[in-house]
Amino acid sequence: MELKGKTAVVTGSSRGIGKAIALKLADLGANIVLNSTPASDAIDAVEKEIREKGVKALTIKCNVGCFKEVQEMFETISKNFDSIDILVNNAGITKDNLLIRMSEEDWNEVIDTNLKSVFNCAKAAAKYMIKQKSGKIINISSVSGLVGAPGQANYSSAKAGMIGFTKAAAKELASRGITVNAVAPGFIESRMTDKLSDALKEEYMRNIPLKRFGTPDDVANLTAFLASDKSNYLTGQVIHIDGGMVM
Ligand code: NDP
């Protein structure tokens, strides 16, 4: 697989899965636009690591849940790169609580960060991809969006919403040479899953036929395939990467 000369935007790439995806796409030759919240300081080190691979890197810190900030982000990207070829909608958060205890604020924040961000970024990127008549949009959903998870009404709704979005956008953009696919990871080792209790981790493990948690690299390898020309005849799909947890 080769991505030389392509430009990839990876949201939420300061750590975890997004960082692994950014590094993998850079390994394949893509120039990378990194993104995190304005509060992140970890992303500067990621930018350095990407530049050391001999590709261009640009960091734009903004809240991807905010329409205006995302518009500005893509204007900056278009001024710095000749094309926008790959968009990975990866930024995400959890704010778990039982439905009856979940605040409106936690509902809104999770929906905005995980789902509205996909609309914001895909709408902005599609403008450029349509002109180019090519593009790859990859949405990092979750098994929670497929089967639901207790305590995650907000997160499961957002991740399920991403799947509906993927299929609608895939149908709309196919004639313009743009593919849109979703990846549904299971339990992946990252800061997001570090905070889960040992009891919950054991319960997840019992349901994973391959008997190990996934790594950010597992997700990055699949995403790289979806970002490459090798997946050109694949669109509107949701690919599970979960050690067999959901089949
Ligand atoms: P992490 O918490 O490790 O990383 C989340 C990333 O998203 C960080 O870079 C963070 O930036 C960024 N981010 C959060 N909010 C915003 C925002 N408003 N605007 C811009 N960037 C933001 O998560 P993971 O790596 O574990 O998860 C990555 C994606 O994969 C998420 O969408 C998650 O839902 C999904 N996923 C993860 C699974 C897992 O088991 N880990 C399973 C299934 C799906 P900052 O450094 O600024 O906070």
Side-chain angles (χ1 to χ4, degrees):
M1 285 188 296
E2 223 219 28
L3 298 174
K4 207 162 187 291
K6 308 259 185 198
T7 299
V9 182
V10 185
T11 68
S13 38
S14 63
R15 59 172 187 266
I17 295 171
K19 176 183 170 182
I21 291 170
L23 291 171
K24 174 63 68 180
L25 301 184
D27 281 339
L28 296 173
N31 299 315
I32 307 292
V33 179
L34 296 161
N35 156 262
S36 68
T37 67
S40 175
D41 49 14
I43 203 153
D44 301 334
V46 183
E47 184 182 313
K48 187 166 173 281
E49 215 177 318
I50 301 248
R51 280 185 203 278
E52 283 166 2
K53 294 178 186 291
V55 298
K56 279 175 76 178
L58 174 71
T59 297
I60 304 178
K61 294 182 184 181
C62 76
N63 173 9
V64 287
C66 171
F67 186 79
K68 188 166 170 287
E69 288 184 35
V70 169
Q71 292 284 309
E72 288 164 4
M73 172 164 83
F74 277 87
E75 276 164 29
T76 307
I77 297 169
S78 72
K79 284 182 191 142
N80 283 273
F81 296 93
D82 296 333
S83 59
I84 301 176
D85 306 288
I86 299 157
L87 166 65
V88 184
N89 284 309
N90 167 80
I93 55 164
T94 50
K95 295 263 171 178
D96 296 356
N97 215 334
L98 295 175
L99 173 58
I100 54 165
R101 293 203 195 124
M102 188 175 285
S103 66
E104 184 188 5
E105 194 184 25
D106 285 354
W107 169 270
N108 286 340
E109 203 180 330
V110 168
I111 297 292
D112 284 355
T113 306
N114 294 276
L115 180 58
K116 190 181 172 204
S117 61
V118 176
F119 164 73
N120 292 343
C121 294
K123 180 178 161 70
K127 194 175 100 180
Y128 300 97
M129 291 175 172
I130 285 169
K131 277 193 203 132
Q132 293 161 198
K133 297 192 172 62
S134 69
K136 302 272 187 185
I137 299 175
I138 300 136
N139 298 321
I140 309 298
S141 177
S142 166
V143 292
S144 299
L146 297 167
V147 296
Q152 292 196 321
N154 49 5
Y155 184 77
S156 299
S157 302
K159 294 300 184 183
M162 286 174 84
I163 291 171
F165 180 96
T166 297
K167 294 178 183 184
K171 286 181 179 168
E172 222 176 277
L173 297 172
S175 63
R176 314 302 181 98
I178 301 165
T179 64
V180 190
N181 290 291
V183 171
F187 190 112
I188 308 295
E189 287 164 344
S190 76
R191 195 189 290 182
M192 187 176 272
T193 45
D194 277 352
K195 59 189 177 194
L196 298 176
S197 69
D198 287 344
L200 200 54
K201 286 181 188 173
E202 276 166 30
E203 196 186 318
Y204 272 112
M205 188 60 93
R206 270 196 296 279
N207 291 310
I208 300 174
L210 285 179
K211 287 296 162 223
R212 71 166 175 89
F213 294 139
T215 64
D217 274 343
D218 288 323
V219 183
N221 286 330
L222 172 59
T223 305
F225 166 70
L226 293 174
S228 77
D229 288 349
K230 303 286 180 202
S231 65
N232 278 354
Y233 198 53
L234 206 156
T235 197
Q237 302 306 306
V238 184
I239 305 183
H240 306 188
I241 178 147
D242 60 3
M245 196 197 293
V246 175
M247 18 172 134

